[in-house]
Amino acid sequence: QKVAMSLGERASQALNPWALGPGALLAGFAAVLSGGIYIWDNVVEKLVELSGVRKLPTRDKPIKPELQPPLNTLSYIYLTFNAINELIFVMNITHFLWHSPLVKLRVAELGVLNTFPALYVIFLAQDMIYAPTHRFMHWRPVYPLVHKHHHRQIYPSRGYADAANEHPIEHMIGVLCAWGGIFAAAYTTGVHAATLFVFFNIHAALAMLNHSPYDVEFSHLGFTYSVKAHEMHHRKFSMNYAQYFMFWDRMMGTFKEYTAYFAAAVGTWAERARAACGGDRDGEVGGRFTRVEAFGDSSGDLGGALWAARAIVLSSRPTSRVHHGYGASGDSLARQSD
């Protein structure tokens, strides 16, 4: 019984470290959802617009609905669970910075190392954990279980609504990566509460922008942020797994420069067709053979010509096959069976 009580107390401490009552928890949830998420999302977007940042080259023309599907019921369920997880994370991080001796609180304790160097270490360590973990979530046996839902959007544009539209397990992985970055700084440079405040605001803003249509990019001391890089990930999803330090992708051999040409991105649609079928370019998957064929203009600029990427799935019946076709610059989708 004592063991059971101890486990229960630990769970309660993890879920509600401030021991808040139902009313306070509900108010906190409303504050995180409205103020901390959607208001900040709109503020960031408005600041980007006022700064004169252009939209990504692929957004010059309207995107077909098939490539930007609306949020479905499962999306709203995931967003709700993830907002609750955000509240739990906020309670835990505030409890940590208030009570932990690892975090400095007083203004007089602001130092050379626990501010900007600490901020750099947090982002660096977080991305060092996140990039290979993100790649693991794209591993074929794992991908459909967790990460596949997030890739419903080929061209993310809704900011937080697209960034947080992910399986709760994936959301928890992101939270743990953030904790990893915080502890890395706490045990190396030291960290101040003001640094953590700045980190979370920047981290939230960049996550939103990574799922927006705005061409935001900057680079300093290896910190290389580019919405283009993340758009490429959503378009092809076998590249650009990092968020802030693209040299992690260069080390893994998964970095690819941005291209807005659909002809040059034929592989994008071939890869998406391959993932939809659940197979390799040539390989047996679940008793079926999957082959992806891609063809298009080799010049790199179609000039309006048509191309297609087809996934042909041969089922156990030799006469049955399904074609998933992507044509007209890759932005329309059609199916036929024979």
Side-chain angles (χ1 to χ4, degrees):
Q1 186 177 1
K2 290 183 178 180
V3 174
M5 288 181 61
S6 177
L7 291 175
E9 289 172 355
R10 290 182 181 181
S12 177
Q13 175 70 17
L15 296 174
N16 187 8
W18 290 104
L20 301 178
L25 286 172
L26 186 60
F29 178 75
V32 168
L33 190 63
S34 60
I37 295 176
Y38 289 108
I39 291 178
W40 184 228
D41 194 5
N42 289 321
V43 168
V44 170
E45 182 175 354
K46 184 56 66 176
L47 289 174
V48 169
E49 288 180 354
L50 292 174
S51 69
V53 173
R54 296 173 61 93
K55 290 190 175 182
L56 293 161
T58 52
R59 314 304 173 94
D60 289 341
K61 297 179 181 179
I63 302 293
K64 294 294 183 65
E66 295 91 347
L67 306 180
Q68 288 183 323
L71 300 177
N72 58 15
T73 301
L74 188 59
S75 297
Y76 285 110
I77 292 173
Y78 283 173
L79 285 168
T80 301
F81 272 101
N82 293 339
I84 294 172
N85 192 30
E86 294 278 3
L87 172 61
I88 295 172
F89 180 48
V90 168
M91 290 192 295
N92 274 277
I93 197 66
T94 53
H95 190 272
F96 170 75
L97 67 86
W98 187 256
H99 292 283
S100 175
L102 295 171
V103 181
K104 305 301 181 183
L105 294 173
R106 295 183 299 150
V107 174
E109 294 177 306
L110 285 166
V112 175
L113 291 178
N114 65 11
T115 49
F116 290 106
L119 186 65
Y120 186 89
V121 169
I122 295 173
F123 278 110
L124 178 67
Q126 180 199 26
D127 222 27
M128 181 180 68
I129 303 168
Y130 178 79
T133 305
H134 186 187
R135 188 179 185 184
F136 171 77
M137 288 191 289
H138 278 264
W139 185 35
R140 192 173 63 216
V142 176
Y143 177 75
L145 301 177
V146 177
H147 194 49
K148 182 179 180 180
H149 180 81
H150 183 68
H151 275 275
R152 293 179 70 246
Q153 292 294 325
I154 301 175
Y155 292 94
S157 60
R158 287 182 288 248
Y160 174 81
D162 283 343
N165 186 13
E166 58 190 5
H167 195 288
I169 291 177
E170 180 178 353
H171 194 269
M172 179 58 70
I173 289 172
V175 166
L176 293 175
C177 290
W179 275 114
I182 292 168
F183 280 112
Y187 284 105
T188 54
T189 60
V191 66
H192 196 278
T195 306
L196 294 180
F197 177 79
V198 172
F199 163 70
F200 284 113
N201 279 279
I202 295 176
H203 177 52
L206 297 184
M208 296 168 186
L209 288 173
N210 248 350
H211 297 83
S212 77
Y214 297 102
D215 188 6
V216 178
E217 62 180 343
F218 56 86
S219 180
H220 187 64
L221 297 177
F223 190 116
T224 305
Y225 177 81
S226 170
V227 178
K228 287 177 177 176
H230 199 68
E231 187 199 74
M232 285 292 288
H233 175 73
H234 272 265
R235 281 165 53 187
K236 186 163 184 177
F237 69 85
S238 61
M239 59 183 64
N240 300 354
Y241 295 106
Q243 298 180 95
Y244 309 122
F245 291 84
M246 300 312 296
F247 61 71
W248 298 127
D249 275 290
R250 294 184 187 278
M251 289 176 62
M252 295 188 295
T254 56
F255 177 75
K256 186 170 180 63
E257 295 286 354
Y258 181 82
T259 174
Y261 293 121
F262 286 107
V266 168
T268 297
W269 307 100
E271 290 288 342
R272 182 161 296 280
R274 178 186 66 159
C277 299
D280 285 328
R281 190 167 291 275
D282 289 291
E284 185 177 0
V285 181
R288 300 181 304 177
F289 285 88
T290 302
R291 185 171 79 255
V292 176
E293 297 177 348
F295 52 92
D297 181 16
S298 60
S299 67
D301 189 351
L302 290 181
L306 298 180
W307 65 268
R310 297 185 304 166
I312 303 174
V313 183
L314 303 180
S315 70
S316 56
R317 293 181 300 167
T319 57
S320 175
R321 60 175 60 182
V322 179
H323 298 249
H324 298 270
Y326 302 81
S329 295
D331 55 7
S332 64
L333 177 97
R335 293 184 180 182
Q336 72 177 52
S337 60
D338 56 274

